[in-house]
Amino acid sequence: MDVRRLDLLRELADRGSIAAVAAATHRTPSAVSQQLKVLEREAGVPLTERDGRGVSLTDAGRALARSATDVAIALERAHAVWDEYRHDATGNVTVASFPTAGQMLLPGAISSLADVPGLTVTMVDRDPDSGNFPGLTVDFDIVVAHSMPGMRSWSGKGLRNLYLLSEPLDVSLPVGHRLAGVNMLTPDQLVDEPWIGVPQGYPFDGLMHEIEAVTGKELSVVQRVTDNRVSEALVAAGIGIGIVPRFTASGRKRGIVTRPLTGVDASRHIVALMRPEKAERFAVRTVAEALHAEAQRLQQAHNPVEDAAAYTTPRWT
């Protein structure tokens, strides 16, 4: 079987439609369909079937698509062994990151790679709801994703995960708020406040639901926004209180104060997600490990008393 046709079958499994595969691989839909028909003849069994106005994979098609993943991993691993032997990280690595992680990690990571010959990093900012981060891996080499504890929606997706860091989440209050002088806030102190939330399904929304579960009271969410700077501006104006990531919160210069929250697990996990064959590429691993090093530098800068050796070695899963 032709490796390129196997890869098209795998793309169909991941992207869900002939049109999407055609757009991603710079082919026409008819060309993709023709190549899949050739692969089907080579396999000797139906690999696709009509599904409404589109097509879906048969059981045999899904099995062969999984085999295509194994083939892609093996090929990339062979190339990576040679690239690593030559210390050659040449290539362009695409990174998709949600905005605050991009602000925290990418400037330092990209700067640290400036002297690596032939390596370029192209970044974009994306901020989907937590369930959609894995879907970005079909178009980007590395996806920097976040989730709340116990809500790692990418598990079981067949991806490689590189743990980067855990970031505390604090409560943001307007300067002069009645709770601004409290060193540590509890859920019971916050339930009667108006809240600036995030769209439903976004990670911070999970923390608000946890506050509701602990207190048995429903929070009053007066606005929902995705941009932390907009949230901070609304808090500073006294419209409500909010949740901000500790390492990138603007603080008093934006008219807010931040306070830690106890009684719930107020933190988020930040992880780099990759398709398994992309994670084999020497250039991709070089960028991923630069992100890891920057994340650990940031973690230690904010929490110098924690065990510095705990995450020195990248934790791949």
Side-chain angles (χ1 to χ4, degrees), residues 16-308:
S17 73
I18 296 289
V21 174
T25 59
H26 308 290
R27 294 175 170 87
T28 64
S30 61
V32 172
S33 295
Q34 185 178 25
Q35 290 299 306
L36 290 174
K37 287 177 182 177
V38 173
L39 180 63
E40 193 168 73
R41 286 198 298 271
E42 292 174 341
V45 294
L47 301 176
T48 63
E49 57 189 2
R50 298 301 303 178
D51 185 4
R53 299 178 65 178
V55 299
S56 61
L57 296 183
T58 63
D59 289 343
R62 285 189 288 272
L64 193 56
R66 289 192 294 271
S67 296
T69 299
D70 296 335
V71 171
I73 293 171
L75 288 173
E76 289 292 355
R77 185 174 294 153
H79 287 301
V81 168
W82 187 237
D83 287 341
E84 190 167 5
Y85 178 78
R86 296 182 301 155
H87 301 288
D88 182 7
T90 297
N92 180 57
V93 177
T94 56
V95 181
S97 173
F98 63 93
T100 51
Q103 177 186 345
M104 286 190 296
L105 302 176
L106 283 167
I110 293 174
S111 295
S112 73
L113 298 168
D115 295 331
V116 179
L119 177 64
T120 59
V121 180
T122 301
M123 62 163 288
V124 299
D125 60 312
R126 294 286 189 274
D127 199 10
D129 66 48
S130 58
N132 288 334
F133 279 112
L136 296 176
T137 60
V138 299
D139 292 314
F140 299 97
D141 296 316
I142 300 172
V143 176
V144 182
H146 62 155
S147 71
M148 304 301 293
M151 297 175 61
R152 297 183 182 182
S153 56
W154 42 80
S155 61
K157 300 290 186 179
L159 301 175
R160 294 293 305 279
N161 301 343
L162 176 62
Y163 171 86
L164 297 177
L165 74 154
S166 291
E167 180 179 19
L169 301 176
D170 293 331
V171 177
S172 59
L173 309 159
V175 173
H177 189 278
R178 64 181 181 84
L179 296 173
V182 180
N183 291 330
M184 184 78 70
L185 297 173
T186 66
D188 287 330
Q189 293 173 305
L190 303 172
V191 288
D192 294 325
E193 296 287 333
W195 280 82
I196 310 300
V198 296
Q200 294 180 0
Y202 279 63
F204 290 5
D205 197 44
L207 177 55
M208 298 180 68
H209 287 311
E210 190 173 351
I211 293 172
E212 291 177 327
V214 167
T215 61
K217 296 182 179 179
E218 184 176 353
L219 298 183
S220 172
V221 181
V222 295
Q223 299 292 340
R224 293 184 181 272
V225 296
T226 59
D227 191 306
N228 286 338
R229 295 296 173 263
V230 175
S231 175
E232 290 180 7
L234 293 171
V235 171
I239 295 171
I241 66 173
I243 296 169
V244 291
R246 182 174 299 176
F247 299 161
T248 52
S250 297
R252 285 186 176 273
K253 65 183 179 182
R254 295 276 302 211
I256 67 170
V257 295
T258 61
R259 293 292 179 265
L261 178 60
T262 188
V264 291
D265 190 348
S267 64
R268 63 174 174 178
H269 302 298
I270 301 178
V271 179
L273 306 178
M274 287 151 275
R275 269 182 160 186
E277 79 280 7
K278 291 179 180 179
E280 294 291 341
R281 286 179 54 202
F282 186 49
V284 172
R285 290 208 320 269
T286 299
V287 175
E289 289 170 6
L291 286 168
H292 178 269
E294 182 65 14
Q296 297 311 295
R297 184 200 64 77
L298 181 68
Q299 189 94 65
Q300 287 302 310
H302 284 270
N303 302 293
V305 298
E306 290 191 0
D307 183 3

